[in-house]
Amino acid sequence: MAEKEPIGVIGVGWVGLCTAACFAELGHHVYARDIVSERVDALSRGQVPMHEPGLSELVGGNAERLHFTTDMGEVLDNASLLFCCVDTPPTYSGDADLSRVEAVIADLGASEGHAIVMKSTVPVGTGRSIVRRFPNVGYVSNPEFLKEGSAIKDFMSPDRVVIGADDGSQGFADRVEALYSTLDGARVRTDVASAEMVKLASNAFLATKISFINEIANVSEELGADVSEVARGMGLDDRIGPKFLQAGIGYGGSCFPKDVSALKQLAGNTGYHFQLLTAVIEVNELQKRRTIGKLQKHLGSLVGKEITLLGVAFKPDTDDVREATSLVLSARLQGEGANVRVYDPVASEGAREMLGGATIADSVEEALDGADGAVLVTEWAEFAELDWSAMRERMNVPLIVDGRNFLDGPSLVEAGFSYEGIGR
Ligand SMILES: NC(=O)c1ccc[n+]([C@@H]2O[C@H](COP(=O)([O-])OP(=O)(O)OC[C@H]3O[C@@H](n4cnc5c(N)ncnc54)[C@H](O)[C@@H]3O)[C@@H](O)[C@H]2O)c1
């Protein structure tokens, strides 16, 4: 059997490590470089630094094909397709911070015969700017659509694989496409700028769907409709679809907030005011804050009240807390004078500093003991499986604000709770 092409991965965070592990599983030797030596050392020992279902098993099972290093030279010597998976966080202005991407390009120097395969989410125009400045380097845009919590499945069974290349890099793009040849999913071969826009526009569209249903939820609360029923009825229209129509207390995470604001800023830099995205962002911010009003409706002033946040991670099955709604709520509740306690099955410790003065509980029971109200922030399965009657006995005031419409409201009411969902 022909030897599979070795590949390089630069940046072994969520996207980089999943990419490295999945390509190793597909039979490729992967030379994966990070600048954080503790991370590289841990990975070399088989220790995976994040909570992602199936990832540890994949890293362990492909150890002989996964080569972790801090040395860019080792990657350049062994691979010519270099998947760039470094972080592109937001700057204060909302633009994407490309300093890590620029550092990767600078590390390539004058090397010939290599191509950057960009998986990091970057502003439209980034690829063409790099090619203008570094004509010796090939450039392929290959945006990543995996979701934390189901990243391995998403990588191995993609809806689509988007590959963007301009003249001069089509040969590299063919080789990138060949890497995915055993995976299902549509192929979208296009130019670099369009590939970059597919990624930003996809995230912006999903965020728009969320803010839209959240506004429908808020109006439904006033008019006596139930947003879950409304979403069910809407989602059966195949032009609309049922996904991303779950009303809640707003989106968070490392991608949506930054990508939506990056696209808005990108448009603004060209002189175009992207009005819709301005509203999407504003609705999302207000949605988080509406939770405070729901607690106050039952408790009056929150000064001195014990409020529990169930869930810290921005979504279930991950320990990622970047831009998590829990962080905003913790700060706002403390600003209102409440004492905040949090519980999350995996994510609290990593968020200790970001949670300010909130107390971290080791169990749901400890978190709810004597509480004057609880807010379900992250829809971890274990919260649905709790013995809520027993929890009611522990709480001082049996009040639940279900920020994800995740719990069985009528059963909770029957068990003696005051229950507030979103839009119902
Ligand atoms: N996390 C997601 O769900 C997701 C999904 C799709 C796309 N993306 C995009 O992928 C990119 C990476 O996201 P992430 O969540 O994996 O980030 P991350 O912060 O988890 O990982 C980034 C890694 O890059 C490393 N790094 C930084 N500079 C480096 C350099 N010069 N050389 C080598 N390593 C370097 C960091 O140490 C870190 O380990 C971002 O642009 C993000 O928007 C993320």
Side-chain angles (χ1 to χ4, degrees):
M1 207 167 62
E3 187 79 350
K4 300 239 174 151
E5 168 153 19
I7 62 156
V9 169
I10 316 296
V12 270
W14 241 283
V15 168
L17 188 55
C18 291
T19 301
C22 289
F23 277 130
E25 174 76 4
L26 294 175
H28 300 267
H29 276 269
V30 180
Y31 294 83
R33 185 243 186 170
D34 206 286
I35 45 172
V36 179
S37 53
E38 297 80 27
R39 175 164 284 221
V40 169
D41 291 345
L43 284 165
S44 301
R45 291 193 301 271
Q47 291 165 359
V48 170
M50 66 275 276
H51 178 88
E52 178 61 46
L55 185 55
S56 291
E57 293 79 352
L58 220 50
V59 169
N62 291 287
E64 82 277 10
R65 280 190 294 279
L66 283 167
H67 314 277
F68 296 105
T69 179
T70 53
D71 178 10
M72 190 69 159
E74 187 182 338
V75 182
L76 295 178
D77 287 347
N78 286 288
S80 54
L81 295 177
L82 310 172
F83 284 80
C84 179
C85 305
V86 297
D87 40 330
T88 50
T91 59
Y92 282 114
S93 62
D95 291 293
D97 175 356
L98 291 180
S99 57
R100 288 126 177 114
V101 170
E102 290 294 340
V104 172
I105 305 293
D107 278 341
L108 279 181
S111 74
E112 296 277 347
H114 292 94
I116 288 288
V117 186
M118 188 60 72
K119 268 205 181 294
S120 296
T121 304
V122 294
V124 181
T126 303
R128 285 184 182 163
S129 157
I130 291 172
V131 170
R132 257 197 313 275
R133 290 178 291 133
F134 300 90
N136 55 313
V137 177
Y139 192 94
V140 178
S141 171
N142 177 215
E144 182 51 61
F145 300 97
L146 62 74
K147 303 177 285 299
E148 290 175 23
S150 57
I152 305 298
K153 182 181 141 290
D154 294 341
F155 192 100
M156 291 301 202
S157 311
D159 295 332
R160 78 291 210 195
V161 176
V162 176
I163 296 171
D166 293 336
D167 293 345
S169 287
Q170 296 298 345
F172 285 119
D174 291 343
R175 282 162 61 190
V176 173
E177 189 171 350
L179 298 177
Y180 292 96
S181 61
T182 55
L183 303 184
D184 291 340
R187 303 293 184 260
V188 180
R189 276 290 288 263
T190 183
D191 60 280
V192 168
S194 301
E196 291 166 340
M197 186 59 108
V198 169
K199 174 65 192 176
L200 288 177
S202 297
N203 274 0
F205 185 75
L206 293 172
T208 303
K209 255 184 130 175
I210 296 172
S211 279
F212 179 84
I213 199 68
N214 282 339
E215 291 220 276
I216 295 293
N218 298 342
V219 179
S220 293
E221 276 175 19
E222 299 303 321
L223 300 177
D226 179 336
V227 75
S228 305
E229 294 297 300
V230 177
R232 188 161 64 93
M234 287 171 65
L236 289 167
D237 183 329
D238 64 9
R239 295 169 302 176
I240 298 173
K243 293 186 179 162
F244 281 77
L245 284 182
Q246 283 77 36
I249 48 177
Y251 60 80
S254 65
C255 289
F256 280 8
K258 89 171 166 64
D259 293 349
V260 175
S261 90
L263 181 52
K264 182 190 146 195
Q265 289 303 116
L266 199 56
N269 295 342
T270 70
Y272 183 77
H273 178 43
F274 205 142
Q275 296 187 56
L276 190 56
L277 289 188
T278 305
V280 166
I281 294 166
E282 192 179 309
V283 168
N284 196 53
E285 287 312 308
L286 292 174
Q287 196 68 9
K288 297 175 193 168
R289 285 162 172 76
R290 279 174 69 88
T291 310
I292 310 288
K294 293 191 174 195
L295 290 166
Q296 285 167 332
K297 184 173 127 191
H298 292 264
L299 300 172
S301 163
L302 298 181
V303 175
K305 298 279 163 40
E306 301 287 333
I307 305 297
T308 301
L309 300 182
L310 293 177
V312 175
F314 86 92
K315 63 189 256 189
D317 292 324
T318 181
D319 56 355
D320 197 344
V321 297
R322 289 176 284 186
E323 304 270 346
T325 302
S326 59
L327 306 181
V328 177
L329 277 180
S330 174
R332 282 291 304 120
L333 286 165
Q334 290 179 67
E336 292 291 329
N339 302 320
V340 177
R341 278 182 254 168
V342 303
Y343 169 74
D344 188 285
V346 297
S348 323
E349 268 314 317
R352 188 176 280 280
E353 271 178 36
M354 288 178 265
L355 287 163
T359 305
I360 293 177
D362 290 331
S363 65
V364 189
E365 289 78 7
E366 186 187 324
L368 290 174
D369 267 341
D372 295 307
V375 183
L376 186 134
V377 183
T378 316
E379 58 275 44
W380 284 101
E382 74 173 74
F383 297 146
E385 290 153 10
L386 277 178
D387 177 352
W388 279 102
S389 294
M391 296 304 125
R392 186 177 60 91
E393 299 305 318
R394 291 177 174 272
M395 294 177 73
N396 185 36
V397 179
L399 166 64
I400 299 278
V401 178
D402 182 357
R404 302 291 173 194
N405 285 348
F406 182 60
L407 303 173
D408 181 350
S411 303
L412 286 172
V413 171
E414 210 170 292
F417 280 94
S418 301
Y419 174 86
E420 289 277 344
I422 308 292
R424 57 186 190 180

